[in-house]
Amino acid sequence: MLRDRHDRPVDGGDWFIQHGTDVETRWNADVPHLTPTDHFFVRNHTEPPHVDPETWRLVVSGDGVVGETSYSLDDLKSFTSHTYERALECTGNGRSLFGSQQGTERPGTQWQMGAIGVARWTGVPLRTVLRHAGLTGDAVQVMPVGLDARYVDDGIDHGHVRRPLPIGKALDDTLVAWEMNGEPLPLDHGFPVRLVVPGWVGIASIKWLGELQVTTSVVDSPWNTRWYRMHGEGWSGDAAVLDRMPPKSIVDVTGDPEVGRMAVLRGRAWSGEATIRMVEVSTDGGRTWEEASLTGSNEPSSWVEWEHPWTPVASGEQVLVTRATDSLGRTQPEVAADNDDGYFFGAAVRHRVTVRAEVSTPAGASGRPAPVG
Ligand SMILES: Nc1nc2c(c(=O)[nH]1)N[C@H]1C(S)=C(S)[C@@H](COP(=O)(O)O)O[C@H]1N2
Ligand SMILES: [Mo]
């Protein structure tokens, strides 16, 4: 169940596909460029905490800062704030497609493609807070810690949800955010304050932020060793580390395709820490490709809409495939690299549509609407 920050149930209506306590956004023709806050996917490991914003403090500690400092919400808001549009996407987004498209079902939340949303986030850059707190020259990472209940699984207490963030990304574009689309964060999205780590695996963007442990040595957590890391055959070392999300693309709208009549296909494409350079569309299951037109804004770590005209020549089931190439030169492959937990489903998505046979035009009809008398 989705709740607002006063813990009142929010009616997600047809907008959500429910997966236990997680919900994903259902793709349909009406998903606007910015995902409305009450239609934004939710992924909670445990129970959201009820934090009193008056007494809440962000504690910055560890041997990577000169001393411990606490910040109230007003303290954070007294820094110059920044607002930018960025996607937030779960590492496992598209996991169900390992099964449905590649025949290798993987355990975990069976997300379709809706464990992603784009919002305008307002907050203060993490680097501003770290510098204010007296960051030392030899700090190597920041461990953000959530205030939600400790995660206990199979009788093992893994502690609070937390994941190390390398200092480079922490000092780059990471935001300490308190607003989403111009409103305070809802309870499920991290009220009062969360991190937004643009373009990286969703787990990096720790919600209900309580602490930032800054250290001069590397410290791991189960959220970068047991989970949100590639496991399985062929995965080891740096290749197994998950940070920047791969390029992806989907079809949102196919209209009601009919033989001999032009339909406009629409969709969107996105990539972690990159803009989209090109979207290609195949209407014959991946044999031939044409380049789609990108429409609207194309910011890094957000999405861009695309459209492509299509006049079907055959009726019955057809397979549409889309593939994005990003500004880092990465193109969606035909097959996503397999891994035990079904992370990073970045393969070109196959989308089945049924094309209607040509509807014959009544004799004498001009095809134009009759003039209104
Ligand atoms: N404290 C805390 N932070 C968290 C999580 C969590 O369970 N607890 N879930 C993470 C995961 S896996 C994802 S994908 C995103 C989801 O953010 P959203 O629920 O606001 O969409 O938050 C991340 N931050
Ligand atoms: Mo996630």
Side-chain angles (χ1 to χ4, degrees), residues 105-309:
E105 198 175 308
R106 290 292 167 247
T109 303
Q110 292 302 303
W111 303 112
Q112 297 174 32
M113 289 299 285
I116 180 172
V118 168
R120 282 171 62 78
W121 307 96
T122 300
V124 56
L126 177 55
R127 63 170 175 273
T128 304
V129 177
L130 295 178
R131 294 219 169 104
H132 184 270
L135 184 70
T136 66
D138 51 357
V140 299
Q141 75 167 41
V142 178
M143 180 81 82
V145 184
L147 293 168
D148 39 342
R150 304 169 70 90
Y151 183 61
V152 181
D153 184 39
D154 261 351
I156 300 168
D157 183 351
H158 296 284
H160 289 287
V161 177
R162 63 200 188 283
R163 189 180 203 255
L165 185 65
I167 197 72
K169 186 65 174 174
L171 296 179
D172 184 12
D173 55 354
T174 298
L175 201 64
V176 178
W178 52 83
E179 269 183 24
M180 181 177 184
N181 295 330
E183 300 283 343
L185 294 174
L187 179 66
D188 273 313
H189 297 294
F191 181 81
V193 170
R194 76 177 303 163
L195 281 190
V196 174
V197 183
W200 278 34
V201 289
I203 185 64
S205 294
I206 293 294
K207 303 192 272 191
W208 313 290
L209 192 60
E211 220 180 311
L212 294 168
Q213 298 164 348
V214 189
T215 54
T216 59
S217 57
V218 172
V219 183
D220 288 321
S221 94
W223 285 270
N224 75 307
T225 55
R226 167 64 192 89
W227 307 293
Y228 306 104
R229 182 183 195 92
M230 294 298 208
H231 290 290
E233 223 184 292
W235 294 108
S236 64
D238 285 352
V241 174
L242 296 178
D243 43 37
R244 179 195 287 149
M245 295 295 291
K248 299 188 185 181
S249 59
I250 56 165
V251 176
D252 287 348
V253 184
T254 58
D256 181 15
E258 180 190 318
V259 171
R261 204 175 66 178
M262 193 182 86
V264 180
L265 304 176
R266 292 179 208 282
R268 57 194 83 198
W270 62 93
S271 187
E273 298 187 308
T275 57
I276 295 298
R277 184 182 292 162
M278 175 170 74
V279 173
E280 292 165 286
V281 179
S282 171
T283 55
D284 56 11
R287 277 189 296 124
T288 61
W289 297 86
E290 286 174 24
E291 198 172 331
S293 307
L294 304 183
T295 64
S297 72
N298 187 356
E299 293 209 38
S301 306
S302 185
W303 54 33
V304 61
E305 285 77 15
W306 58 261
E307 60 177 46
H308 191 66

